[in-house]
Amino acid sequence: MPKLIDRHRLLDGLGHGGWITFTGNAADIAPGSRVLLPLNELLEYGETWRRHVGATGALGARLTGADDPASVLPLFDDLALIAVEFPSFADGRGYSIATLLRTRHHYRGELRAVGDVLRDQLFLMARAGFDTFALRDDQHVDRALAAFRDFSVTYQHAADRALALAA
Amino acid sequence: MYQYTAFDQTIVDERVAQFRDQTARHLAGALSVDEFRALRVQNGLYLQKHAPMLRVAIPYGLVAARHLRMFAHIARTYDRGYAHFTTRQNIQFNWPELARVPDILADLATVQMHAIQTSGNCVRNTTTDPFAGIAPDEVVNPLVWAELIRQWSTIHPEFAFLPRKFKIAISGAISDRAATMVHDIGLVALTDGSGAIGFRVAVGGGLGRTPIIGTVIRDFLPWQHLITYLEAILRVYNRLGRRDNKFKARIKILVKESTPAQFADWVEAEFEATRDGPTRLSPSDVEAIAARFTQANYHDLPLDDADVVTFAAASGEFARWQRRNVHAHRVPGYAAVTASLKRIGTPPGDITADELDAVAGLADVYTQGELRVTHEQNLVFPNVEKRALPALWRELHALGMATPNIGLIGNIIACPGGDFCDLANAVSIPVAAAIHERFESLDDQFDIGELDLNISGCINACGHHHVGHIGILGVDKHDEEWYQVTIGGNQGGAPNDPARIGRIIGPSFARDEIPDVIETLIRTYLELREHDDERFVDVVARVGIEPFKERVYAETD
Ligand code: SF4
């Protein structure tokens, strides 16, 4: 199980903070759940899912590197979470997706990095606009939390500054 | 020289601390080989067959005497007493010990140097004209812009894990001495009718497995938008560049497969959406950077120094050196001087610790402590008073760095090749040595005239063989070292001298055949040329490769 952190603390040492990912079998998902849906599922059956999870549940989008973040724009108000998947730590598409969500589309909700999320990429991920991180299960939480302090200064403008300015 | 601030110092110091922690975790088994690899290469560290190799950044090739002394210290303390200048204006140490690399980086950080992003799938060291700021044909000094790009690209959070490595070159002169058309992004700084500065932007050029000349996607990008536009290109590439096949992952493949017009449309759309955002540059951003470049202190000097003219008339050796290794300067009475690191018996670009110290001393005396590293693996003294030329010549002569071979066949560019590099198919340095010995005579070299001979040990093309007038590429045939020869390549430069990719003349050769092959090519050229100023590459352009090919294969049969 991954370990969920934000920039300051451990949020869930054994999972995704109550979120489950839809992987094709709707029967597994109880009403009232917090569900992460792939983009296609969300665009096509979003209404059905909304009714299914009800007022006590919540919907989130799980984007891959190939997804166009602009397509979730109309759904922002409906989403309690956007998760961006890193299939491998070396696949950097998620940084551009996060940047676009934060700076172009002004998404202000929770933005989570999931997948191959490792200590040594956290500083960059936070700068690209992520605010929660589902660490790969072998990662050490205290070391990971220290990563956000790797650099005290930075050269360039990035999504984190855009967020700070908008706050 | 650019004067680094406490801000820059903080970043390099924190980077050292970060890498020290990563190395310790790796040595303790807490960071897998692959995970550590991605991190160490972004700190310039390769692990190779003989020992690790550390590539240290020399931002846009500008280096101060104190940096050279630090390199000397590192070569002595952690290595075998020498170092190697690369074709990308960086310096490499070939024998450091992994566990001590954090200490090397800490030493470098004391003079604000580092190895950040000298390798890996990220934005690499931006390269430029070694004569930036001093060339008579300069329109815009590219150094300020190169520094802006350095800062912007350093630890950029969005572009640290690109599909593949990414190289930017910038030139600001009429003659493009930065090979901008064979880079992922090639920038040429220029001015419009009103004198405002802007950039011509080319993308998708490159050497390697698929050599391509770049495509210009913007003829004039106003300077305020430089960073925004670079981000637009990088963002399109980061999202759409291929990640399924390492050999097709460079931006040139995306540009080619999507077509340059489509690629340009994507970039323009991305740019339009961000154009007046926070990355737009203001005059004060640029002035702040410009103010941190120290200016050379020029004196009022006569255009030519009478004593030097007399000396040149008396010393043929000096006159030759002046012809090949001394370059025009925009300030009257000054010259730029190339110290040749192409010496018989020494691999191209190699330099010992003592020599580094000696050159640093000369820089202090003759050029206010400043030097440039060239992509041809030589060193340039940028601001030499002409009256001091004979004295500097004697000093360089004593160091064996006054061989008047710049632009001639003796100035061979060669990658480290099979002697050092794990990826090599074949050795490069011994081939360079054999050719250099064959053409040792300076009379012959002068007679042959301008000729770029470039050697790469494999298709990665670190020796830029595609753009050599003669290019030599190491290939692997049944586990044996063979060499493919191309002719007619051209790095390009002046507006009427475009960059060109060389053409293969035919089946490859065994190593010991190469000096004869080169000699035949040159003899053929000498017979075909119409006058002394017609260069080898001009003759190939005029008559094609056939006459050369026929002669070479007739003689090697
Ligand atoms: S061209 Fe090939 S052999 Fe030469 S240094 Fe580059 S990777 Fe190594």
Side-chain angles (χ1 to χ4, degrees), chain B residues 36 83 108 129 146 163 180 193 237 279 300 335 353 364 400 465 506 525 543 548:
Chain B
F36 183 57
L108 283 167
D129 184 349
T180 60
Y237 170 56
T279 48
D300 262 340
D364 278 338
H465 64 278
Y525 151 67
V543 305
F548 292 91

Side-chain angles (χ1 to χ4, degrees), chain A residues 96 104 120 136 152 155, chain B residues 8 14 25 35 152 158 270:
Chain A
S96 283
R104 178 83 39 88
D120 294 292
R136 200 175 69 189
S152 59
Y155 279 119
Chain B
D8 302 283
E14 291 177 346
R25 276 186 282 137
E35 288 159 17
W152 160 75
E158 191 180 345
E270 186 60 38

Side-chain angles (χ1 to χ4, degrees), chain B residues 37-148:
Chain B
R37 184 186 175 281
L39 303 171
R40 67 172 161 77
V41 293
Q42 298 219 6
N43 287 289
L45 179 62
Y46 286 77
L47 297 178
Q48 314 215 84
K49 54 184 156 195
H50 301 294
M53 181 273 280
L54 182 70
R55 181 184 297 149
V56 174
I58 299 178
Y60 37 89
L62 218 62
V63 72
R66 67 200 160 89
H67 298 144
L68 294 177
R69 292 194 176 97
M70 177 52 70
F71 297 153
H73 155 75
I74 286 163
R76 265 187 211 109
T77 314
Y78 302 96
D79 207 302
R80 297 191 181 171
Y82 69 98
H84 172 77
F85 286 107
T86 77
T87 54
R88 285 196 41 80
Q89 300 182 307
N90 290 321
I91 189 166
Q92 290 179 181
F93 297 92
N94 279 311
W95 311 95
E97 193 187 315
L98 172 59
R100 299 185 80 189
V101 169
D103 295 334
I104 301 180
L105 295 177
D107 287 358
L108 283 167
T110 64
V111 291
Q112 297 83 38
M113 297 222 106
H114 58 79
I116 300 170
Q117 291 166 220
T118 54
S119 181
N121 295 338
C122 51
V123 181
R124 304 286 190 87
N125 186 20
T126 296
T127 50
T128 190
D129 184 349
F131 300 106
I134 56 174
D137 70 339
E138 187 164 280
V139 181
V140 176
N141 183 339
L143 292 174
V144 171
W145 306 101
E147 172 60 21
L148 266 161

Side-chain angles (χ1 to χ4, degrees), chain A residues 11-126:
Chain A
L11 301 175
D12 180 357
L14 283 173
H16 290 280
W19 286 87
I20 38 182
T21 300
F22 169 69
T23 51
N25 194 352
D28 287 352
I29 295 172
S33 296
R34 295 153 78 79
V35 193
L36 273 172
L37 299 169
L39 183 59
N40 284 343
E41 183 71 17
L42 192 61
L43 292 176
E44 217 163 315
Y45 303 110
E47 268 314 299
T48 317
W49 277 105
R50 156 92 15 239
R51 282 196 300 276
H52 180 68
V53 298
T56 51
L59 294 184
R62 185 177 170 114
L63 304 183
T64 70
D67 288 333
D68 180 359
S71 44
V72 283
L73 186 54
L75 306 169
F76 277 0
D77 289 343
D78 234 23
L79 297 174
L81 172 66
I82 297 179
V84 178
E85 197 178 314
F86 287 81
S88 140
F89 72 88
D91 183 338
R93 289 177 295 178
Y95 298 97
S96 283
I97 295 197
T99 300
L100 286 169
L101 283 169
R102 290 301 197 197
T103 62
R104 178 83 39 88
H105 307 309
H106 309 291
Y107 174 68
R108 294 282 169 261
E110 182 181 346
L111 184 58
R112 183 181 297 179
V114 298
D116 204 23
V117 178
L118 312 181
R119 185 251 180 253
D120 294 292
Q121 280 73 45
L122 291 175
F123 184 83
L124 303 172
M125 287 177 170

Side-chain angles (χ1 to χ4, degrees), chain B residues 135-451:
Chain B
D137 70 339
E138 187 164 280
V139 181
V140 176
N141 183 339
L143 292 174
V144 171
W145 306 101
E147 172 60 21
L148 266 161
I149 296 170
R150 181 192 75 80
Q151 296 191 10
W152 160 75
S153 62
T154 300
I155 321 181
H156 195 298
E158 191 180 345
F159 308 125
F161 293 93
L162 296 169
R164 199 79 177 81
K165 59 186 164 186
F166 203 92
K167 300 175 181 178
I168 302 175
I170 179 168
S171 153
I174 305 280
S175 280
D176 175 3
R177 287 172 291 261
T180 60
M181 292 307 271
V182 289
H183 280 78
D184 296 294
I185 295 178
L187 299 168
V188 176
L190 35 83
T191 51
D192 68 6
S194 71
I197 292 175
F199 301 90
R200 193 192 74 188
V201 183
V203 293
L207 301 175
R209 194 169 297 265
T210 317
I212 311 181
I213 302 294
T215 308
V216 174
I217 58 169
R218 261 280 186 152
D219 288 313
F220 190 84
L221 175 76
W223 61 268
Q224 294 87 340
H225 302 305
L226 176 65
I227 300 299
T228 315
Y229 203 81
L230 293 177
E231 284 206 352
I233 296 172
L234 264 300
R235 186 167 298 140
V236 169
Y237 170 56
N238 190 37
R239 294 187 61 202
L240 302 179
R242 287 182 63 171
R243 291 176 186 267
D244 59 327
N245 180 341
K246 170 177 175 197
F247 300 128
K248 297 192 186 289
R250 294 289 291 268
I251 195 175
K252 61 191 170 187
I253 305 292
L254 176 64
V255 172
K256 199 171 123 191
E257 288 183 350
S258 64
T259 76
Q262 171 66 73
F263 183 84
D265 284 350
W266 286 331
V267 170
E268 289 292 329
E270 186 60 38
F271 171 62
E272 278 310 318
T274 44
R275 60 178 292 152
D276 291 318
T279 48
R280 184 189 161 106
L281 294 168
S282 69
S284 61
D285 294 332
V286 181
E287 281 157 19
I289 302 265
R292 274 183 235 128
F293 277 94
T294 52
Q295 296 305 319
N297 198 357
Y298 294 113
H299 304 291
D300 262 340
L301 297 175
L303 188 57
D304 279 308
D305 187 277
D307 291 345
V308 175
V309 175
T310 316
F311 183 61
S315 163
E317 221 183 328
F318 174 77
R320 267 189 167 173
W321 177 79
Q322 222 181 0
R323 231 173 97 198
R324 295 308 328 174
N325 298 24
V326 176
H327 319 277
H329 197 289
R330 67 177 173 79
V331 179
Y334 285 82
V337 167
T338 303
S340 174
L341 296 182
K342 308 304 171 70
R343 300 169 281 182
I344 299 268
T346 305
D350 271 17
I351 188 162
T352 67
D354 290 348
E355 288 168 346
L356 282 163
D357 278 337
V359 170
L362 296 182
D364 278 338
V365 174
Y366 293 96
T367 52
Q368 300 165 29
E370 184 185 326
L371 278 171
R372 313 286 177 90
V373 180
T374 77
H375 81 276
E376 295 182 344
Q377 308 170 289
N378 294 313
L379 294 170
V380 166
F381 290 80
N383 315 303
V384 183
E385 294 181 9
K386 279 189 179 167
R387 60 189 174 193
L389 285 172
L392 179 57
W393 173 68
R394 281 189 203 98
E395 305 254 28
L396 288 173
H397 205 280
L399 290 171
M401 296 182 194
T403 314
N405 56 8
I406 304 309
L408 304 180
I409 193 173
N411 187 32
I412 298 172
I413 295 179
C415 78
D419 294 304
F420 295 99
C421 176
D422 272 356
L423 303 169
N425 288 322
V427 294
S428 316
I429 295 166
V431 177
I435 298 169
H436 204 169
E437 271 163 35
R438 178 70 61 98
F439 294 94
E440 189 176 357
S441 148
L442 282 168
D443 288 337
D444 290 351
Q445 290 195 30
F446 270 78
D447 184 36
I448 296 162
E450 277 186 31
L451 191 133

